[in-house]
Every structure is written in C-alpha cells, then in structure tokens.
Amino acid sequence: MKAPGLAILLCLLLAACAAPAGSRAALADEDIDVRVEGARAFTVLDLERVVAADLADLPKRAQPRSAIDDAAYTLVEHYRAQGFAGCSVEYAFEEPASGRRAAVVLVREGPRTRLGGAAFEGCSRLRASDALSALGLAGLARSSVPRWFVERELSEWSRSLEASAASKGHLDARVRAPAVEIAAQRRSA
C-alpha cells in the first residue's frame, strides 16, 4: 500500500466510525477494503487520533492484519477509558487467493457507564469525604457532570486510599481491591 493510499484509508476508516448507528461504510484502497460498523459515539477526528499510530506503518507491514488488530485493541481501550465499560471490538480479515483483501471492524459500544457512587466499609478512621477526595471523586454525589466508570482506575484507587491513610498516621491501613457493582443495564457502577 502506498502512503497516499494509507491517508485515504485512514480518513475513510474514521469517517466510517462516525457514521450513524446501524450504518456501514466501505473503505477502498489499492490492496484492501475495510468496513467499520457500529461506531457512533465519537467524531471522525477523535477516532483518527486514536488509531493513527496503529495504522501509520500499515504500508510497511508484511501482515496488514496486525495493524487492524492493533487498531481494534486501541479502539477498545479508548472506549473503555471514556466510560464504555462493556465495549468490544471484533474484526474479520479475509485474504482470498485472488482478489482484494478485506477487513470488517465491528464496534459494540454498549451503554456509557456512569460512576453512581462509592461506599467504604471498615473505614473507621477515614471519613468518606476524605476517601472520595483521595480518589479524585470529591463532590461525586452532588455533581451534575457525569463521572464515567473506568475499570483500569481501580488499582490506582487502592493505592491512593492507602497513601491518604498513611499521610494521616495510619501506617497499617490496607485497602482491598474495590468491588464494583454494575447495574443490569450497564449504565451505572
């Protein structure tokens, strides 16, 4: 694939990602057809920035499937970091003996999961408001701005709470990994 082909592929890939729900977009290039389905929460520019590094070396790769795989993984991580806790991205790659290669990237965004609250158990010496502040969640209950649930922040929360307790002289404080309850509709955690 030539560099101009990559630019066209990238632009068309991102345009497809911004298409309305249920739509399909075909991306044409000299060597490969790529179709993205299901993505609708982010703009073309947002998604372009997300996958640009993964697709930048596409023309140099012996196996373009690996670039599509990298881009799919990056899309999942991006969606989950933005509160789409149940997002999944799958792709199928076809390499026929003759004819054009093709990839279909399917994004299942799922609902965005709002962090609805936090409860602390066994926290006798640390006030809940102090614990929320240590987690960067002060004002969570009062805020009209949604705070999206991001699963990878959980390990950071344990360390932050232990550090907060230690700073207050509770050197023996240990924090278990947080237990998360996600509502059935996956809209709050």
Side-chain angles (χ1 to χ4, degrees), residues 30-128:
E30 295 172 8
D31 299 324
I32 186 171
D33 290 324
V34 179
R35 192 171 69 237
V36 178
E37 299 177 2
R40 61 184 189 266
F42 298 102
T43 68
V44 171
L45 185 58
D46 290 337
L47 294 176
E48 179 178 283
R49 289 180 184 136
V50 170
V51 299
D54 295 321
L55 298 180
D57 66 345
L58 182 63
K60 298 175 190 169
R61 292 196 185 193
Q63 294 294 321
R65 175 191 314 259
S66 65
I68 301 297
D69 185 68
D70 291 349
Y73 176 80
T74 300
L75 284 173
V76 168
E77 289 299 304
H78 174 71
Y79 271 93
R80 290 186 179 167
Q82 301 302 317
F84 291 88
C87 178
S88 65
V89 176
E90 299 173 7
Y91 69 92
F93 198 85
E94 299 171 4
E95 296 185 83
S98 62
R100 297 170 58 90
R101 295 176 290 177
V104 177
V105 179
L106 176 62
V107 177
R108 290 188 180 99
E109 294 176 345
R112 208 163 190 191
T113 307
R114 182 181 182 146
L115 184 58
F120 303 95
E121 296 175 359
C123 198
S124 60
R125 301 199 188 251
L126 185 63
R127 294 184 318 203

Side-chain angles (χ1 to χ4, degrees), residues 8-24:
I8 292 169
L9 173 66
L10 184 58
C11 290
L12 292 173
L13 172 65
L14 298 166
C17 288
S23 68
R24 296 180 178 190

Side-chain angles (χ1 to χ4, degrees), residues 73-183:
Y73 176 80
T74 300
L75 284 173
V76 168
E77 289 299 304
H78 174 71
Y79 271 93
R80 290 186 179 167
Q82 301 302 317
F84 291 88
C87 178
S88 65
V89 176
E90 299 173 7
Y91 69 92
F93 198 85
E94 299 171 4
E95 296 185 83
S98 62
R100 297 170 58 90
R101 295 176 290 177
V104 177
V105 179
L106 176 62
V107 177
R108 290 188 180 99
E109 294 176 345
R112 208 163 190 191
T113 307
R114 182 181 182 146
L115 184 58
F120 303 95
E121 296 175 359
C123 198
S124 60
R125 301 199 188 251
L126 185 63
R127 294 184 318 203
S129 61
D130 290 339
L132 286 170
S133 291
L135 300 177
L137 300 174
L140 176 66
R142 298 183 310 271
S143 179
S144 61
V145 177
R147 171 66 160 83
W148 303 115
F149 172 70
V150 179
E151 187 172 4
R152 69 178 173 209
E153 292 176 344
L154 294 178
S155 60
E156 296 169 21
W157 289 354
S158 295
R159 288 191 299 274
S160 295
L161 282 176
E162 284 183 0
S164 178
S167 73
K168 293 176 179 18
H170 306 290
L171 302 178
D172 293 349
R174 295 293 171 256
V175 178
R176 290 179 308 187
V180 178
E181 295 177 13
I182 297 181

